[in-house]
Amino acid sequence: LLDNGFLFVSIDYRMLPEADVAIQAGDVEKAYAYVRTNIARYGGDPDRIAVMGHSAGCHLAALTGLRGGLPGVAALVLDDTEAYDIEALAKAHGGRLRPIYAQAFPDPGQWRALSPATYIESGKHPPVFVAYSNAPIRAVAARAFTDRLRATGTKVTLFDGSAYTHMAINRRFGEEGDALTAAAMAFLKAVVA
């Protein structure tokens, strides 16, 4: 990113079990607000900020970006999650979440509010880049999510990352010749550069 003229800011959020997903989303929104307020001091443009996340970070970027918690965000780069629609994810597994998701989303009463898909029809969204890894459920979730976004007129780029494992899709980002990196950079240059 730096080699291509972008500024890069890495944020963090409190982790489970000390902070639940709702608190984590609030942390992301507060960090984004701070960056947006201060980025000009470092040569950045507050109206050209892209938010990117992998795995749980992907879910949080999608959730906060679509529910309006990242005002003015120019783009979202979403790298591999199943948790775009938690209710649908549970339905695909007989009404229950797999253990890793059950830890993050223990209260079915919150599934809808914590699902990025809930907010798709809520308004205009920034351009979105969605990548998925080789887990079949991730491809299904990503395609369903992008189809719904496109139906609202949102500009979406879908990257078939079936050649990547869940960890490799993140670990290989930035490597010379990496296809995902090239696709994400082309997207970013088209929408925020």
Side-chain angles (χ1 to χ4, degrees), residues 15-80:
M15 299 291 158
L16 293 169
E18 291 80 28
D20 65 17
V21 174
I23 290 170
Q24 292 172 342
D27 288 349
V28 169
E29 291 169 349
K30 288 174 189 167
Y32 171 82
Y34 177 86
V35 170
R36 187 165 166 81
T37 298
N38 292 284
I39 197 70
R41 295 190 329 196
Y42 300 93
D45 182 341
D47 294 322
R48 292 173 35 204
I49 297 174
V51 173
M52 179 177 183
H54 170 258
S55 196
C58 172
H59 168 262
L60 291 170
L63 175 63
T64 58
L66 296 183
R67 76 178 186 186
L70 309 176
V73 70
L76 300 173
V77 178
L78 309 175
D79 289 330
D80 207 31

Side-chain angles (χ1 to χ4, degrees), residues 1 9 18 26 35 57 60 63 65-66 77 88 97 129 161 164 176 180:
L1 291 166
V9 178
E18 291 80 28
V35 170
L60 291 170
L63 175 63
L66 296 183
V77 178
L97 293 174
F129 179 94
Y164 297 80
E176 187 70 32
L180 171 62

Side-chain angles (χ1 to χ4, degrees), residues 58 78-85 120 128-133 135-150 156-161:
C58 172
L78 309 175
D79 289 330
D80 207 31
T81 188
E82 294 171 31
Y84 293 116
D85 185 333
I120 289 175
V128 181
F129 179 94
V130 177
Y132 60 87
S133 65
I137 187 107
R138 290 203 173 101
V140 169
R143 287 185 187 119
F145 181 69
T146 58
D147 287 347
R148 286 186 60 194
L149 279 170
R150 285 179 177 144
V156 180
T157 300
L158 180 62
F159 179 83
D160 178 349

Side-chain angles (χ1 to χ4, degrees), residues 87-96 137:
E87 291 174 326
L89 185 60
K91 190 180 291 185
H93 290 92
R96 301 177 55 114
I137 187 107

